[in-house]
Amino acid sequence: MQPRRKALVFAALFPTLIALSGAEDTLFPGDPLKDDSSLISSDGSFKLGFFTPGKSKFRFLGIWYNQIPVQTVVWVANRDSPLPDRTGVLSISINGSLSLSDSKGVVYWSTPSTRLAGPVAKLLDDANFFVAGAGGGGNAWQSFDHPTDTLLPGMKLWVDRRTGFTRNFTSWKSDDDPGTGDSTLFLNPNGVPQMILVQGSKRVWSSGLWVGKEFSGIPEKRSYEDFNFSVISNDDEAYYQFTTRDKTVLSRLVVQSKGMLQRLIWIKEKGTWNVYYFAPKEPCDAFGHCGIFGICDPNESPTCSCLQGFEPRLQDNWNLRDWNDGCRRRTPVDCKNNTDGFVLVANAKLPDTSVEVVIYNMGTDECREECLRNCSCAAYTTDVSIEGGGSRCILWNGVLTDLRVFDNGGQDLFVRLARADLCTSGETYFQPV
Ligand SMILES: *[C@@H]1O[C@H](CO)[C@@H](O)[C@H](O)[C@H]1NC(C)=O
Ligand SMILES: *[C@@H]1O[C@H](CO)[C@@H](O)[C@H](O)[C@H]1NC(C)=O
Ligand SMILES: *[C@@H]1O[C@H](CO)[C@@H](O)[C@H](O)[C@H]1NC(C)=O
Ligand SMILES: *[C@@H]1O[C@H](CO)[C@@H](O)[C@H](O)[C@H]1NC(C)=O
Ligand SMILES: *[C@@H]1O[C@H](CO)[C@@H](O)[C@H](O)[C@H]1NC(C)=O
């Protein structure tokens, strides 16, 4: 059986149809893709082929936008195994394995074999390159499961909750080298979903917890009319995804080197990519900038202070604006006599912790009581914006890190304090119920 020949006969009979559908989008066994040829998705959005980035001397197999003048690569197959010349070919074998090799037969990149009957590899209109059975059956391997540095609409920033496996998006080494770089974005494996950006082994930024319609640390998302964002989270998996409301709008979320995340959007009139959003933006975005129990406010000078009821752990260093050691409680909380209260931190980015506890369908009063009941509970919040409309109680145990405030947006965080550290005036005093 020769599917491609069949397609050609079909094309000969209906030449206008093939003109409309453009080049081919499918790779068949026995018909490899050479360096000078390419696959184009059926609506013409994306192209898969060989390219040379910037000043590089090497060839890479990748996927880029087909309908814009600036070559913008969104996926690279052999990022860490560059081809030295133009003799590379991509082929799919009858066992469904994709393989990129040169004229000497050296294999630079490959995918596992499959048990599918009559496997083919197809480039879809969303830029997903996938291996499936000839009848469309099964989906053995897909490029969306092996991302490079770019999250496109419909792709998942995914984590397997059962194994803790995170699907990482990792920067290029440089504009000339798509090799695995120093910065990685992933979704935290445990707790309420949040995006985490690391550079090397250092966490440089976190999106803050997902609070229904946005991440707590990206309050400006409220004004992102052009996008739909969603996070799905259950016992098996969690993922973040976005789509553009207007399908003709091109947007991508890219992990740049040196610990920088960018959302770019294509400006048709100018023929350029515009940076729509980036992080980290300012010192307060740097992960844990003010240390534990510290709070960062970009409008204050200095930007770091201790939460009410807390004092610097190392006052001398703090005076020198070394915030790393953070703050400690002035007065221990009272776990026996039930005299503690809470101070409100308004417009907050919810703190980071790997030990937050989430209780669904619990209102503010019960949430506060729940926190008081457990001596290790340091703060709580409730949010009512979660999908399904119910109210959710989040409790933080132990230390609070990466806390900051915004001018607008953010959440109300209630931090537990001993009675001696509560001020009795104003709205910041919350007596135990
Ligand atoms: C699948 O085919 C490729 C290419 O012919 C070969 O290298 C590989 O060993 C095969 N895998 C299996 C499991 O047969
Ligand atoms: C993803 O990145 C994190 C942080 O660098 C790392 O710990 C983890 O091993 C990576 N996971 C995979 C599958 O590469
Ligand atoms: C975006 O979300 C709205 C509301 O949930 C939904 O009606 C709409 O279909 C979504 N649009 C896209 C492009 O996903
Ligand atoms: C709790 O009450 C007892 C008896 O009034 C008192 O001795 C103790 O100091 C109180 N503990 C705290 C932490 O306030
Ligand atoms: C208090 O919180 C800790 C940490 O989450 C938890 O292990 C413990 O079971 C809690 N205790 C109670 C009584 O809820």
Side-chain angles (χ1 to χ4, degrees):
M1 157 121 176
Q2 292 280 354
R4 169 151 318 178
R5 199 151 296 155
K6 221 177 193 175
L8 289 175
V9 172
F10 184 78
L13 291 174
F14 302 96
T16 49
L17 267 184
I18 201 83
L20 278 177
S21 67
E24 300 188 46
D25 61 1
T26 306
L27 185 71
F28 298 98
D31 195 0
L33 189 77
K34 296 206 181 79
D35 185 283
D36 59 357
S37 53
S38 57
L39 300 178
I40 293 176
S41 70
S42 72
D43 75 353
S45 295
F46 288 96
K47 181 184 261 190
L48 179 144
F50 293 83
F51 71 101
T52 297
K55 299 189 195 83
S56 173
K57 294 185 173 64
F58 296 100
R59 298 293 279 172
F60 296 89
L61 178 73
I63 297 173
W64 57 91
Y65 293 90
N66 182 46
Q67 289 165 333
I68 61 173
V70 181
Q71 188 182 57
T72 308
V73 175
V74 296
W75 181 78
V76 184
N78 57 321
R79 68 183 308 185
D80 290 310
S81 307
L83 281 155
D85 56 32
R86 290 179 183 258
T87 67
V89 286
L90 175 71
S91 55
I92 182 165
S93 82
I94 49 168
N95 67 24
S97 158
L98 287 168
S99 155
L100 177 64
S101 52
D102 66 7
S103 55
K104 299 186 195 84
V106 177
V107 176
Y108 289 81
W109 175 83
S110 66
T111 66
S113 63
T114 74
R115 292 169 171 275
L116 296 171
V120 297
K122 187 169 177 170
L123 179 63
L124 300 186
D125 293 332
D126 58 4
N128 194 7
F129 185 48
F130 83 107
V131 175
N139 188 347
W141 180 92
Q142 55 178 344
S143 62
F144 272 18
D145 288 347
H146 304 271
T148 305
D149 64 341
T150 303
L151 185 81
L152 293 169
M155 269 176 112
K156 291 174 180 173
L157 183 65
W158 182 80
V159 57
D160 184 337
R161 296 265 200 190
R162 293 157 305 185
T163 62
F165 172 87
T166 59
R167 188 173 293 153
N168 289 351
F169 289 69
T170 301
S171 63
W172 287 26
K173 280 199 170 116
S174 71
D175 289 347
D176 304 326
D177 184 357
T180 301
D182 66 352
S183 305
T184 296
L185 182 76
F186 59 95
L187 209 63
N188 62 321
N190 305 305
V192 181
Q194 60 174 324
M195 292 194 271
I196 293 168
L197 184 65
V198 297
Q199 187 183 4
S201 56
K202 187 171 180 253
R203 184 181 289 205
V204 290
W205 175 80
S206 136
S207 66
L209 309 183
W210 178 257
V211 284
K213 293 192 180 72
E214 64 191 22
F215 287 105
S216 169
I218 316 179
E220 63 265 47
K221 251 190 188 171
R222 280 182 195 172
S223 61
Y224 284 15
E225 309 269 295
D226 302 330
F227 300 98
N228 267 8
F229 301 99
S230 66
V231 165
I232 302 297
S233 172
N234 55 49
D235 290 344
D236 295 334
E237 60 172 0
Y239 58 84
Y240 162 77
Q241 235 178 351
F242 77 92
T243 53
T244 51
R245 299 220 168 138
D246 175 351
K247 294 285 174 218
T248 65
V249 172
L250 305 182
S251 177
R252 58 199 171 102
L253 191 66
V254 182
V255 182
Q256 308 286 15
S257 58
K258 301 197 174 69
M260 169 75 79
L261 183 68
Q262 283 185 337
R263 173 174 292 287
L264 296 127
I265 198 157
W266 179 251
I267 312 289
K268 246 182 254 159
E269 294 69 29
K270 289 190 183 156
T272 55
W273 288 102
N274 188 41
V275 178
Y276 190 92
Y277 167 83
F278 68 95
K281 275 196 182 75
E282 53 187 5
C284 283
D285 284 332
F287 183 78
H289 184 63
C290 298
I292 61 169
F293 296 114
I295 183 163
C296 201
D297 184 344
N299 295 328
E300 292 290 324
S301 179
T303 48
C304 287
S305 58
C306 289
L307 280 164
Q308 183 184 323
F310 290 78
E311 62 194 5
R313 283 168 74 200
L314 298 175
Q315 185 71 57
D316 289 348
N317 293 3
W318 194 264
N319 293 346
L320 297 173
R321 304 199 170 180
D322 170 0
W323 320 117
N324 289 327
D325 300 294
C327 310
R328 63 167 174 234
R329 270 183 200 284
R330 289 180 196 276
T331 315
V333 293
D334 162 24
C335 304
K336 293 210 176 74
N337 300 356
N338 201 26
T339 61
D340 290 345
F342 294 89
V343 62
L344 167 66
V345 180
N347 303 111
K349 172 180 181 179
L350 295 178
D352 183 79
T353 167
S354 53
V355 284
E356 80 265 1
V357 175
V358 182
I359 307 170
Y360 290 93
N361 297 315
M362 182 178 271
T364 306
D365 291 349
E366 297 150 285
C367 189
R368 182 184 311 154
E369 282 180 73
E370 194 65 34
C371 185
L372 284 172
R373 216 169 282 147
N374 193 330
C375 208
S376 62
C377 180
Y380 75 88
T381 191
T382 51
D383 73 68
V384 291
S385 62
I386 55 167
E387 290 87 350
S391 168
R392 179 173 71 162
C393 167
I394 306 177
L395 306 171
W396 279 264
N397 289 303
V399 300
L400 306 176
T401 345
D402 200 30
L403 184 57
R404 65 159 294 175
V405 290
F406 299 104
D407 291 345
N408 291 300
Q411 277 71 44
D412 284 347
L413 179 76
F414 298 91
V415 177
R416 183 182 196 162
L417 293 182
R419 164 149 289 181
D421 293 330
L422 287 160
C423 66
T424 47
S425 66
E427 295 190 334
T428 55
Y429 182 47
F430 289 86
Q431 274 201 296
V433 215

